[in-house]
PDB file of all heavy atoms in Angstrom:
ATOM      1  N   PRO L   1       4.839  -4.810   9.809  1.00  0.00           N
ATOM      2  CA  PRO L   1       6.209  -4.382   9.758  1.00  0.00           C
ATOM      3  C   PRO L   1       6.908  -4.810  11.048  1.00  0.00           C
ATOM      4  O   PRO L   1       6.289  -5.100  12.022  1.00  0.00           O
ATOM      5  CB  PRO L   1       6.037  -2.828   9.727  1.00  0.00           C
ATOM      6  CG  PRO L   1       4.781  -2.605  10.449  1.00  0.00           C
ATOM      7  CD  PRO L   1       3.910  -3.801  10.177  1.00  0.00           C
ATOM      8  N   ARG L   2       8.254  -4.810  11.003  1.00  0.00           N
ATOM      9  CA  ARG L   2       8.982  -5.076  12.208  1.00  0.00           C
ATOM     10  C   ARG L   2       9.007  -3.796  13.012  1.00  0.00           C
ATOM     11  O   ARG L   2       9.124  -2.697  12.517  1.00  0.00           O
ATOM     12  CB  ARG L   2      10.424  -5.485  11.908  1.00  0.00           C
ATOM     13  CG  ARG L   2      10.524  -6.908  11.272  1.00  0.00           C
ATOM     14  CD  ARG L   2      11.956  -7.374  11.211  1.00  0.00           C
ATOM     15  NE  ARG L   2      12.052  -8.748  10.760  1.00  0.00           N
ATOM     16  CZ  ARG L   2      13.187  -9.363  10.666  1.00  0.00           C
ATOM     17  NH1 ARG L   2      14.316  -8.801  10.966  1.00  0.00           N
ATOM     18  NH2 ARG L   2      13.181 -10.605  10.266  1.00  0.00           N
ATOM     19  N   TYR L   3       9.031  -3.963  14.391  1.00  0.00           N
ATOM     20  CA  TYR L   3       8.945  -2.866  15.257  1.00  0.00           C
ATOM     21  C   TYR L   3      10.121  -1.863  15.010  1.00  0.00           C
ATOM     22  O   TYR L   3      11.270  -2.266  14.924  1.00  0.00           O
ATOM     23  CB  TYR L   3       8.986  -3.324  16.708  1.00  0.00           C
ATOM     24  CG  TYR L   3       9.287  -2.251  17.696  1.00  0.00           C
ATOM     25  CD1 TYR L   3       8.362  -1.202  17.816  1.00  0.00           C
ATOM     26  CD2 TYR L   3      10.482  -2.221  18.387  1.00  0.00           C
ATOM     27  CE1 TYR L   3       8.633  -0.158  18.721  1.00  0.00           C
ATOM     28  CE2 TYR L   3      10.754  -1.201  19.302  1.00  0.00           C
ATOM     29  CZ  TYR L   3       9.787  -0.209  19.426  1.00  0.00           C
ATOM     30  OH  TYR L   3      10.072   0.782  20.312  1.00  0.00           O
ATOM     31  N   GLY L   4       9.746  -0.602  14.851  1.00  0.00           N
ATOM     32  CA  GLY L   4      10.736   0.455  14.754  1.00  0.00           C
ATOM     33  C   GLY L   4      11.322   0.633  13.355  1.00  0.00           C
ATOM     34  O   GLY L   4      12.207   1.456  13.128  1.00  0.00           O
ATOM     35  N   GLN L   5      10.835  -0.106  12.342  1.00  0.00           N
ATOM     36  CA  GLN L   5      11.348   0.028  11.042  1.00  0.00           C
ATOM     37  C   GLN L   5      10.293   0.561  10.120  1.00  0.00           C
ATOM     38  O   GLN L   5       9.124   0.394  10.359  1.00  0.00           O
ATOM     39  CB  GLN L   5      11.777  -1.412  10.478  1.00  0.00           C
ATOM     40  CG  GLN L   5      12.966  -1.970  11.262  1.00  0.00           C
ATOM     41  CD  GLN L   5      13.442  -3.256  10.629  1.00  0.00           C
ATOM     42  OE1 GLN L   5      12.789  -3.775   9.732  1.00  0.00           O
ATOM     43  NE2 GLN L   5      14.540  -3.765  11.137  1.00  0.00           N
ATOM     44  N   PRO L   6      10.665   1.292   9.017  1.00  0.00           N
ATOM     45  CA  PRO L   6       9.716   1.786   8.072  1.00  0.00           C
ATOM     46  C   PRO L   6       8.977   0.734   7.367  1.00  0.00           C
ATOM     47  O   PRO L   6       9.463  -0.413   7.212  1.00  0.00           O
ATOM     48  CB  PRO L   6      10.537   2.610   7.125  1.00  0.00           C
ATOM     49  CG  PRO L   6      11.933   2.064   7.234  1.00  0.00           C
ATOM     50  CD  PRO L   6      12.053   1.609   8.668  1.00  0.00           C
ATOM     51  N   VAL L   7       7.764   0.986   6.952  1.00  0.00           N
ATOM     52  CA  VAL L   7       6.921   0.029   6.271  1.00  0.00           C
ATOM     53  C   VAL L   7       7.183   0.030   4.779  1.00  0.00           C
ATOM     54  O   VAL L   7       7.312   1.088   4.192  1.00  0.00           O
ATOM     55  CB  VAL L   7       5.422   0.337   6.499  1.00  0.00           C
ATOM     56  CG1 VAL L   7       4.546  -0.586   5.685  1.00  0.00           C
ATOM     57  CG2 VAL L   7       5.062   0.252   7.932  1.00  0.00           C
ATOM     58  N   GLU L   8       7.383  -1.135   4.218  1.00  0.00           N
ATOM     59  CA  GLU L   8       7.628  -1.252   2.791  1.00  0.00           C
ATOM     60  C   GLU L   8       6.346  -1.078   2.041  1.00  0.00           C
ATOM     61  O   GLU L   8       5.358  -1.636   2.411  1.00  0.00           O
ATOM     62  CB  GLU L   8       8.234  -2.637   2.504  1.00  0.00           C
ATOM     63  CG  GLU L   8       8.470  -2.854   0.971  1.00  0.00           C
ATOM     64  CD  GLU L   8       8.886  -4.300   0.662  1.00  0.00           C
ATOM     65  OE1 GLU L   8       9.049  -5.013   1.644  1.00  0.00           O
ATOM     66  OE2 GLU L   8       9.031  -4.611  -0.445  1.00  0.00           O
ATOM     67  N   ILE L   9       6.412  -0.245   0.986  1.00  0.00           N
ATOM     68  CA  ILE L   9       5.203  -0.124   0.169  1.00  0.00           C
ATOM     69  C   ILE L   9       5.531  -0.652  -1.233  1.00  0.00           C
ATOM     70  O   ILE L   9       6.540  -0.297  -1.860  1.00  0.00           O
ATOM     71  CB  ILE L   9       4.763   1.305   0.110  1.00  0.00           C
ATOM     72  CG1 ILE L   9       4.320   1.820   1.440  1.00  0.00           C
ATOM     73  CG2 ILE L   9       3.672   1.528  -0.943  1.00  0.00           C
ATOM     74  CD1 ILE L   9       3.811   3.175   1.517  1.00  0.00           C
ATOM     75  N   ARG L  10       4.718  -1.524  -1.741  1.00  0.00           N
ATOM     76  CA  ARG L  10       5.060  -2.236  -2.981  1.00  0.00           C
ATOM     77  C   ARG L  10       3.891  -2.125  -3.936  1.00  0.00           C
ATOM     78  O   ARG L  10       2.728  -2.180  -3.526  1.00  0.00           O
ATOM     79  CB  ARG L  10       5.281  -3.705  -2.656  1.00  0.00           C
ATOM     80  CG  ARG L  10       5.668  -4.553  -3.900  1.00  0.00           C
ATOM     81  CD  ARG L  10       5.871  -5.970  -3.464  1.00  0.00           C
ATOM     82  NE  ARG L  10       6.895  -6.069  -2.491  1.00  0.00           N
ATOM     83  CZ  ARG L  10       7.126  -7.202  -1.748  1.00  0.00           C
ATOM     84  NH1 ARG L  10       6.404  -8.272  -1.930  1.00  0.00           N
ATOM     85  NH2 ARG L  10       8.095  -7.198  -0.881  1.00  0.00           N
ATOM     86  N   ARG L  11       4.103  -1.969  -5.229  1.00  0.00           N
ATOM     87  CA  ARG L  11       3.065  -1.910  -6.222  1.00  0.00           C
ATOM     88  C   ARG L  11       2.645  -3.281  -6.680  1.00  0.00           C
ATOM     89  O   ARG L  11       3.516  -4.115  -7.049  1.00  0.00           O
ATOM     90  CB  ARG L  11       3.511  -1.061  -7.427  1.00  0.00           C
ATOM     91  CG  ARG L  11       2.372  -0.830  -8.404  1.00  0.00           C
ATOM     92  CD  ARG L  11       2.730   0.153  -9.501  1.00  0.00           C
ATOM     93  NE  ARG L  11       3.804  -0.319 -10.344  1.00  0.00           N
ATOM     94  CZ  ARG L  11       4.355   0.395 -11.340  1.00  0.00           C
ATOM     95  NH1 ARG L  11       3.958   1.604 -11.579  1.00  0.00           N
ATOM     96  NH2 ARG L  11       5.371  -0.162 -12.094  1.00  0.00           N
ATOM     97  N   VAL L  12       1.366  -3.511  -6.632  1.00  0.00           N
ATOM     98  CA  VAL L  12       0.806  -4.837  -7.058  1.00  0.00           C
ATOM     99  C   VAL L  12      -0.129  -4.633  -8.234  1.00  0.00           C
ATOM    100  O   VAL L  12      -1.105  -3.854  -8.085  1.00  0.00           O
ATOM    101  CB  VAL L  12       0.082  -5.505  -5.845  1.00  0.00           C
ATOM    102  CG1 VAL L  12      -0.440  -6.846  -6.259  1.00  0.00           C
ATOM    103  CG2 VAL L  12       1.020  -5.653  -4.647  1.00  0.00           C
ATOM    104  N   GLN L  13       0.131  -5.266  -9.322  1.00  0.00           N
ATOM    105  CA  GLN L  13      -0.705  -5.080 -10.509  1.00  0.00           C
ATOM    106  C   GLN L  13      -2.071  -5.769 -10.214  1.00  0.00           C
ATOM    107  O   GLN L  13      -2.146  -6.875  -9.644  1.00  0.00           O
ATOM    108  CB  GLN L  13      -0.119  -5.766 -11.724  1.00  0.00           C
ATOM    109  CG  GLN L  13       1.195  -5.041 -12.112  1.00  0.00           C
ATOM    110  CD  GLN L  13       0.937  -3.626 -12.608  1.00  0.00           C
ATOM    111  OE1 GLN L  13      -0.137  -3.341 -13.120  1.00  0.00           O
ATOM    112  NE2 GLN L  13       1.953  -2.763 -12.471  1.00  0.00           N
ATOM    113  N   ARG L  14      -3.148  -5.093 -10.583  1.00  0.00           N
ATOM    114  CA  ARG L  14      -4.462  -5.664 -10.473  1.00  0.00           C
ATOM    115  C   ARG L  14      -5.241  -5.529 -11.789  1.00  0.00           C
ATOM    116  O   ARG L  14      -4.989  -4.620 -12.593  1.00  0.00           O
ATOM    117  CB  ARG L  14      -5.241  -4.868  -9.375  1.00  0.00           C
ATOM    118  CG  ARG L  14      -4.643  -5.032  -7.999  1.00  0.00           C
ATOM    119  CD  ARG L  14      -5.529  -4.365  -6.978  1.00  0.00           C
ATOM    120  NE  ARG L  14      -6.892  -4.906  -7.005  1.00  0.00           N
ATOM    121  CZ  ARG L  14      -7.926  -4.362  -6.472  1.00  0.00           C
ATOM    122  NH1 ARG L  14      -7.859  -3.261  -5.849  1.00  0.00           N
ATOM    123  NH2 ARG L  14      -9.106  -4.994  -6.555  1.00  0.00           N
ATOM    124  N   LYS L  15      -6.215  -6.372 -11.940  1.00  0.00           N
ATOM    125  CA  LYS L  15      -7.027  -6.400 -13.166  1.00  0.00           C
ATOM    126  C   LYS L  15      -7.944  -5.136 -13.144  1.00  0.00           C
ATOM    127  O   LYS L  15      -8.247  -4.608 -14.186  1.00  0.00           O
ATOM    128  CB  LYS L  15      -7.837  -7.649 -13.296  1.00  0.00           C
ATOM    129  CG  LYS L  15      -6.950  -8.847 -13.454  1.00  0.00           C
ATOM    130  CD  LYS L  15      -7.769 -10.150 -13.636  1.00  0.00           C
ATOM    131  CE  LYS L  15      -6.946 -11.352 -13.882  1.00  0.00           C
ATOM    132  NZ  LYS L  15      -7.814 -12.580 -13.988  1.00  0.00           N
ATOM    133  N   HIS L  16      -8.401  -4.740 -11.987  1.00  0.00           N
ATOM    134  CA  HIS L  16      -9.335  -3.670 -11.848  1.00  0.00           C
ATOM    135  C   HIS L  16      -8.842  -2.682 -10.796  1.00  0.00           C
ATOM    136  O   HIS L  16      -8.819  -3.060  -9.647  1.00  0.00           O
ATOM    137  CB  HIS L  16     -10.757  -4.131 -11.488  1.00  0.00           C
ATOM    138  CG  HIS L  16     -11.272  -5.165 -12.471  1.00  0.00           C
ATOM    139  ND1 HIS L  16     -11.715  -4.842 -13.731  1.00  0.00           N
ATOM    140  CD2 HIS L  16     -11.383  -6.502 -12.363  1.00  0.00           C
ATOM    141  CE1 HIS L  16     -12.109  -5.896 -14.345  1.00  0.00           C
ATOM    142  NE2 HIS L  16     -11.920  -6.971 -13.559  1.00  0.00           N
ATOM    143  N   ALA L  17      -8.461  -1.495 -11.161  1.00  0.00           N
ATOM    144  CA  ALA L  17      -7.963  -0.508 -10.230  1.00  0.00           C
ATOM    145  C   ALA L  17      -9.156  -0.011  -9.477  1.00  0.00           C
ATOM    146  O   ALA L  17     -10.182   0.364 -10.052  1.00  0.00           O
ATOM    147  CB  ALA L  17      -7.343   0.652 -10.980  1.00  0.00           C
ATOM    148  N   PRO L  18      -9.129   0.045  -8.136  1.00  0.00           N
ATOM    149  CA  PRO L  18     -10.250   0.483  -7.336  1.00  0.00           C
ATOM    150  C   PRO L  18     -10.647   1.912  -7.571  1.00  0.00           C
ATOM    151  O   PRO L  18     -11.805   2.263  -7.675  1.00  0.00           O
ATOM    152  CB  PRO L  18      -9.814   0.216  -5.863  1.00  0.00           C
ATOM    153  CG  PRO L  18      -8.310   0.229  -5.926  1.00  0.00           C
ATOM    154  CD  PRO L  18      -7.947  -0.365  -7.286  1.00  0.00           C
ATOM    155  N   SER L  19      -9.650   2.825  -7.606  1.00  0.00           N
ATOM    156  CA  SER L  19      -9.893   4.257  -7.833  1.00  0.00           C
ATOM    157  C   SER L  19      -8.600   4.976  -7.778  1.00  0.00           C
ATOM    158  O   SER L  19      -7.561   4.435  -7.453  1.00  0.00           O
ATOM    159  CB  SER L  19     -10.894   4.808  -6.782  1.00  0.00           C
ATOM    160  OG  SER L  19     -10.237   4.924  -5.561  1.00  0.00           O
ATOM    161  N   LEU L  20      -8.631   6.293  -8.068  1.00  0.00           N
ATOM    162  CA  LEU L  20      -7.453   7.116  -7.994  1.00  0.00           C
ATOM    163  C   LEU L  20      -7.028   7.298  -6.544  1.00  0.00           C
ATOM    164  O   LEU L  20      -5.921   7.729  -6.262  1.00  0.00           O
ATOM    165  CB  LEU L  20      -7.708   8.497  -8.604  1.00  0.00           C
ATOM    166  CG  LEU L  20      -7.856   8.513 -10.109  1.00  0.00           C
ATOM    167  CD1 LEU L  20      -8.185   9.880 -10.659  1.00  0.00           C
ATOM    168  CD2 LEU L  20      -6.589   8.012 -10.831  1.00  0.00           C
ATOM    169  N   ARG L  21      -7.901   6.951  -5.588  1.00  0.00           N
ATOM    170  CA  ARG L  21      -7.562   7.103  -4.162  1.00  0.00           C
ATOM    171  C   ARG L  21      -6.887   5.880  -3.580  1.00  0.00           C
ATOM    172  O   ARG L  21      -6.571   5.851  -2.437  1.00  0.00           O
ATOM    173  CB  ARG L  21      -8.855   7.354  -3.368  1.00  0.00           C
ATOM    174  CG  ARG L  21      -9.607   8.634  -3.726  1.00  0.00           C
ATOM    175  CD  ARG L  21     -10.887   8.772  -2.957  1.00  0.00           C
ATOM    176  NE  ARG L  21     -10.630   8.817  -1.572  1.00  0.00           N
ATOM    177  CZ  ARG L  21     -11.555   8.711  -0.651  1.00  0.00           C
ATOM    178  NH1 ARG L  21     -12.844   8.615  -1.033  1.00  0.00           N
ATOM    179  NH2 ARG L  21     -11.331   8.782   0.622  1.00  0.00           N
ATOM    180  N   ALA L  22      -6.600   4.926  -4.450  1.00  0.00           N
ATOM    181  CA  ALA L  22      -5.977   3.625  -3.904  1.00  0.00           C
ATOM    182  C   ALA L  22      -4.671   3.925  -3.267  1.00  0.00           C
ATOM    183  O   ALA L  22      -4.289   3.304  -2.280  1.00  0.00           O
ATOM    184  CB  ALA L  22      -5.836   2.688  -5.078  1.00  0.00           C
ATOM    185  N   GLY L  23      -3.857   4.881  -3.887  1.00  0.00           N
ATOM    186  CA  GLY L  23      -2.583   5.156  -3.261  1.00  0.00           C
ATOM    187  C   GLY L  23      -2.734   5.797  -1.932  1.00  0.00           C
ATOM    188  O   GLY L  23      -1.981   5.367  -0.948  1.00  0.00           O
ATOM    189  N   GLN L  24      -3.663   6.638  -1.764  1.00  0.00           N
ATOM    190  CA  GLN L  24      -3.924   7.231  -0.385  1.00  0.00           C
ATOM    191  C   GLN L  24      -4.340   6.189   0.539  1.00  0.00           C
ATOM    192  O   GLN L  24      -3.911   6.192   1.743  1.00  0.00           O
ATOM    193  CB  GLN L  24      -4.950   8.348  -0.525  1.00  0.00           C
ATOM    194  CG  GLN L  24      -4.488   9.538  -1.389  1.00  0.00           C
ATOM    195  CD  GLN L  24      -5.623  10.509  -1.608  1.00  0.00           C
ATOM    196  OE1 GLN L  24      -6.778  10.156  -1.702  1.00  0.00           O
ATOM    197  NE2 GLN L  24      -5.241  11.809  -1.715  1.00  0.00           N
ATOM    198  N   VAL L  25      -5.215   5.255   0.129  1.00  0.00           N
ATOM    199  CA  VAL L  25      -5.700   4.203   1.013  1.00  0.00           C
ATOM    200  C   VAL L  25      -4.566   3.311   1.401  1.00  0.00           C
ATOM    201  O   VAL L  25      -4.429   2.931   2.623  1.00  0.00           O
ATOM    202  CB  VAL L  25      -6.798   3.409   0.309  1.00  0.00           C
ATOM    203  CG1 VAL L  25      -7.159   2.193   1.128  1.00  0.00           C
ATOM    204  CG2 VAL L  25      -8.031   4.250   0.065  1.00  0.00           C
ATOM    205  N   ALA L  26      -3.646   2.992   0.497  1.00  0.00           N
ATOM    206  CA  ALA L  26      -2.546   2.115   0.855  1.00  0.00           C
ATOM    207  C   ALA L  26      -1.599   2.738   1.863  1.00  0.00           C
ATOM    208  O   ALA L  26      -1.154   2.166   2.838  1.00  0.00           O
ATOM    209  CB  ALA L  26      -1.757   1.800  -0.390  1.00  0.00           C
ATOM    210  N   ALA L  27      -1.376   4.090   1.690  1.00  0.00           N
ATOM    211  CA  ALA L  27      -0.523   4.793   2.654  1.00  0.00           C
ATOM    212  C   ALA L  27      -1.169   4.866   3.997  1.00  0.00           C
ATOM    213  O   ALA L  27      -0.551   4.739   5.025  1.00  0.00           O
ATOM    214  CB  ALA L  27      -0.292   6.211   2.156  1.00  0.00           C
ATOM    215  N   LEU L  28      -2.478   5.006   3.991  1.00  0.00           N
ATOM    216  CA  LEU L  28      -3.231   5.009   5.205  1.00  0.00           C
ATOM    217  C   LEU L  28      -3.143   3.700   5.958  1.00  0.00           C
ATOM    218  O   LEU L  28      -3.006   3.595   7.144  1.00  0.00           O
ATOM    219  CB  LEU L  28      -4.730   5.334   4.960  1.00  0.00           C
ATOM    220  CG  LEU L  28      -5.646   5.677   6.149  1.00  0.00           C
ATOM    221  CD1 LEU L  28      -5.089   6.954   6.859  1.00  0.00           C
ATOM    222  CD2 LEU L  28      -7.018   5.919   5.700  1.00  0.00           C
ATOM    223  N   THR L  29      -3.184   2.622   5.177  1.00  0.00           N
ATOM    224  CA  THR L  29      -3.021   1.208   5.707  1.00  0.00           C
ATOM    225  C   THR L  29      -1.621   1.145   6.399  1.00  0.00           C
ATOM    226  O   THR L  29      -1.499   0.577   7.464  1.00  0.00           O
ATOM    227  CB  THR L  29      -3.087   0.196   4.611  1.00  0.00           C
ATOM    228  OG1 THR L  29      -4.361   0.380   3.901  1.00  0.00           O
ATOM    229  CG2 THR L  29      -3.123  -1.191   5.166  1.00  0.00           C
ATOM    230  N   ALA L  30      -0.590   1.672   5.745  1.00  0.00           N
ATOM    231  CA  ALA L  30       0.736   1.592   6.298  1.00  0.00           C
ATOM    232  C   ALA L  30       0.822   2.331   7.571  1.00  0.00           C
ATOM    233  O   ALA L  30       1.426   1.862   8.579  1.00  0.00           O
ATOM    234  CB  ALA L  30       1.801   2.153   5.270  1.00  0.00           C
ATOM    235  N   ILE L  31       0.281   3.582   7.635  1.00  0.00           N
ATOM    236  CA  ILE L  31       0.357   4.392   8.801  1.00  0.00           C
ATOM    237  C   ILE L  31      -0.418   3.684   9.955  1.00  0.00           C
ATOM    238  O   ILE L  31       0.068   3.674  11.136  1.00  0.00           O
ATOM    239  CB  ILE L  31      -0.308   5.732   8.526  1.00  0.00           C
ATOM    240  CG1 ILE L  31       0.589   6.555   7.570  1.00  0.00           C
ATOM    241  CG2 ILE L  31      -0.507   6.520   9.876  1.00  0.00           C
ATOM    242  CD1 ILE L  31      -0.024   7.827   7.084  1.00  0.00           C
TER     243      ILE L  31
END
């Protein structure tokens, strides 16, 4: 992300969903 700006979160379609925790993991990545 650019310094001082919020991180964009985007949905990406996948053939195999990793788990129901994927959303939490993605948010953790952003943080």
